């Protein structure tokens, strides 16, 4: 279900996701890595939920110099339940699909890092870590030399 929903988000929001990723890369690779900023954030425009009427989605990306160990980015997906809707009917796993849609096929692993209840919904946090490519793996015997 999550994979199908992720693809739906990627197709529906293709241009916004592309712009958002470019903003993410700009934060991490240019501004932070070159020492101009200690940290920065960018956000997508609020979107309606793909599955639950009366729910809005906010996606925010954070990049911070050396704060996330091996994670390149931290993504927060906030799901806001509108006052006239019922939280018991929300498919909260949609947040996972949004995080995977942001990661796309760009070589990132999405790692859940917890969630917080808010008065009008939940906020989910994810670390996006770069996948280790086969050429980057150092055999244990070579690492000791």
């Amino acid at each position: 279900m999550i994979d199908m929903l992720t693809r739906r988000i990627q197709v529906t929001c293709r241009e916004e996701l592309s712009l958002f990723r470019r903003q993410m890369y700009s934060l991490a690779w240019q501004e932070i890595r070159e020492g101009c900023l200690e940290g920065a954030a960018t956000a997508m425009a609020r979107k309606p939920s793909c599955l639950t009427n009366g729910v809005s989605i906010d996606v925010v990306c954070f990049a911070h110099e050396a704060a996330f160990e091996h994670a390149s980015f931290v993504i927060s997906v906030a799901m806001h339940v509108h006052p006239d809707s019922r939280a018991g009917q929300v498919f909260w796993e949609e947040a996972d699909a949004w995080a995977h849609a942001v990661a796309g096929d760009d070589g990132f692993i999405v790692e859940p890092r917890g969630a917080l209840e808010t008065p009008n919904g939940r906020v989910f946090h994810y670390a996006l870590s770069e996948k280790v490519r086969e050429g980057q793996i150092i055999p244990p015997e070579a690492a000791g030399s």
Side-chain angles (χ1 to χ4, degrees), residues 59-120:
V59 180
V60 179
C61 172
F62 300 93
H64 191 283
E65 185 178 40
F68 304 124
E69 300 170 9
H70 301 298
S72 299
F73 306 103
V74 171
I75 301 289
S76 292
V77 178
M79 296 182 68
H80 307 283
V81 181
H82 302 176
D84 56 338
S85 299
R86 295 177 49 195
Q89 298 175 343
V90 176
F91 183 72
W92 298 110
E93 291 81 3
E94 182 175 351
D96 293 346
W98 279 95
H100 284 278
V102 167
D105 299 321
D106 291 340
F108 287 101
I109 297 170
V110 177
E111 303 172 55
R113 293 288 172 99
L116 300 169
E117 294 282 335
T118 66
N120 65 340

